[in-house]
Amino acid sequence: MKHVLLTGANGFVGKVLLETLLAAGYRVSCASTAPHPSPRADFEQIKLDIRDAMACVAALERTKPTHIIHLAAISHVPTSFRDPLLTWNTNVLGSLNLLEAIKQQASDAFVVFASSSEVYGEAFKAGIALDENSPCLPMNPYAASKLAAELAFEQYFKQGIRGVIVRPFNHIGVGQSPDFVTASFARQIALIECGKQAPIMQVGNLEACRDFLDVHDVCAAYLQLLEFSEVQTYPRIFNVASGHACKIREVLDELISQSSASISVELDPQRLRPSDIPVAAGNCDRIHDVLSWQPKISLKETLALLLAEWRLRVVTER
Ligand code: A2R
């Protein structure tokens, strides 16, 4: 049976990917620093801090997976500015610990490494949808650490480890932290609707354009990428993108249009990033041509689900 070791299983993507993998018939071992919030009999759990090299070896020795999907990371850009050492230790050294453990204990396993579209950084200033051959010019510690981890993966690929690197663009959906823009908007609208916030939304840069994807579409791409474990040759790096850039203002307008509350908008300078880029979109031709993957869920649908989630969540929020 195909057996996936999933790192970062308790995170936003991990929780959705676990269900995607189980539905596809995979046996799944979930690695995380804390127990899964809703443990069940249909997956296994492993306590693992990827900064601990010995623990990585022990986890691989115990599970002997056929596939690994490496999501565990410090994934929040402002956190990476606040705590660069934690970011580099987790994202780079943690990845190296995992790669060494794969080499020692599961050298035939196929690994998918979740990098990020953030690695393109300054290259987005060209204003076009970037493909996988575009220059990588990171603009923050998170992006730099992901690019460094990509280099580590490529070194191990050269030594015979099999796998791919994915660069997902902005994935959104139910379960995402309100530190991220769409969840922050949905939460604020829900708070306004139930009278817990004045009818003024605090927003950052609304003119920026981003390539938004539903997290379920991203997980479908990760699942399809596992198919490469059956073949000899395949591209090493894949964008996971919609190919379209959407203004953050349009996202806000769509969410507000789904509410009956009367809402005004106020700029919060603290929400502006020091080095924001106007347009960040990805060219998704490669994954479309090779795997016929394309996003299936519309932005409108995703935003409706997000708002529904936050309407329930804010009821119990203090
Ligand atoms: O700390 P935990 O157990 O809540 O897990 C977080 C995990 N993580 C770690 N796991 C093991 N050892 C560590 N030292 C460690 N530090 C963090 O990574 C968390 O559950 C997970 C990341 O989840 P999120 O922050 O929700 O990221 P998301 O959006 O699910 O992104 C998945 C991946 C990340 O590598 C992104 O950079 C990439 O997709 O684009």
Side-chain angles (χ1 to χ4, degrees):
M1 189 185 195
K2 290 177 182 170
H3 178 190
V4 179
L5 176 69
L6 179 60
T7 74
N10 281 354
F12 166 53
V13 178
K15 289 197 192 100
V16 178
L17 190 54
L18 168 64
E19 302 306 331
T20 309
L21 291 165
L22 291 174
Y26 282 86
R27 177 180 159 204
V28 185
S29 293
C30 289
S32 50
T33 56
H36 195 273
S38 356
R40 301 192 309 248
D42 57 351
F43 63 88
E44 291 143 63
Q45 287 196 66
I46 297 167
K47 195 166 180 302
L48 175 65
D49 184 327
I50 56 162
R51 292 169 298 172
D52 181 342
M54 305 263 281
C56 287
V57 174
L60 270 288
E61 186 180 21
R62 191 176 131 199
T63 49
K64 294 283 183 198
T66 56
H67 298 77
I68 296 146
I69 304 183
H70 180 37
L71 302 179
I74 300 302
S75 66
H76 185 227
V77 172
T79 304
S80 77
F81 277 109
R82 269 199 309 276
D83 201 340
L85 271 183
L86 174 70
T87 305
W88 285 83
N89 273 329
T90 308
N91 297 1
V92 184
L93 296 179
S95 293
L96 274 165
N97 288 338
L98 188 69
L99 282 162
E100 267 303 301
I102 294 170
K103 193 164 134 187
Q104 287 177 36
Q105 299 294 337
S107 58
D108 290 335
F110 183 88
V111 57
V112 175
F113 169 55
S115 178
S116 168
S117 59
E118 288 271 347
V119 296
Y120 295 121
E122 224 155 326
F124 283 122
K125 288 184 178 164
I128 52 164
L130 299 181
D131 68 18
E132 293 83 352
N133 295 318
S134 306
C136 291
L137 304 166
M139 293 171 77
N140 57 62
Y142 165 69
S145 70
K146 283 287 178 178
L147 186 59
E150 283 194 13
L151 288 175
F153 270 88
E154 293 201 16
Q155 278 305 309
Y156 282 77
F157 290 160
K158 283 196 172 82
Q159 294 167 33
I161 299 296
R162 298 164 63 243
V164 291
I165 292 165
V166 279
R167 294 176 178 159
F169 281 65
N170 298 58
H171 33 312
I172 62 171
V174 170
Q176 193 168 30
S177 151
D179 288 337
F180 292 85
V181 64
T182 53
S184 161
F185 288 169
R187 176 174 173 272
Q188 290 189 64
I189 292 174
L191 284 169
I192 290 168
E193 285 178 346
C194 70
K196 290 188 173 180
Q197 178 175 321
I200 305 165
M201 297 212 21
Q202 300 291 324
V203 300
N205 177 10
L206 294 180
E207 299 312 308
C209 292
R210 295 291 178 266
D211 187 325
F212 290 107
L213 290 163
D214 190 285
V215 63
H216 289 87
D217 280 327
V218 173
C219 290
Y222 293 176
L223 181 71
Q224 278 189 262
L225 286 163
L226 295 179
E227 289 170 19
F228 287 131
S229 63
E230 310 288 335
V231 299
Q232 290 303 316
T233 51
Y234 45 83
R236 290 288 187 203
I237 302 181
F238 288 89
N239 281 347
V240 178
S242 75
H244 308 289
C246 171
K247 240 186 205 173
I248 293 181
R249 182 181 294 282
E250 291 168 41
V251 172
L252 179 62
D253 289 347
E254 174 57 37
L255 277 168
I256 290 178
S257 79
Q258 294 185 15
S259 171
S260 54
S262 163
I263 296 170
S264 59
V265 170
E266 194 172 272
L267 185 74
D268 172 7
Q270 291 208 325
R271 288 171 203 248
L272 297 173
R273 278 198 199 171
S275 51
D276 217 346
I277 31 184
V279 183
N283 175 315
C284 53
D285 289 354
R286 180 177 286 174
I287 192 163
H288 181 65
D289 294 348
V290 181
L291 289 171
S292 301
W293 174 89
Q294 58 184 13
K296 295 199 169 100
I297 305 168
S298 71
L299 186 59
K300 192 175 176 145
E301 230 175 308
T302 305
L303 296 177
L305 287 171
L306 198 56
L307 198 49
E309 177 206 16
W310 281 101
R311 283 180 177 135
L312 292 174
R313 279 179 71 172
V314 296
V315 173
T316 50
E317 247 183 37
R318 286 168 199 222

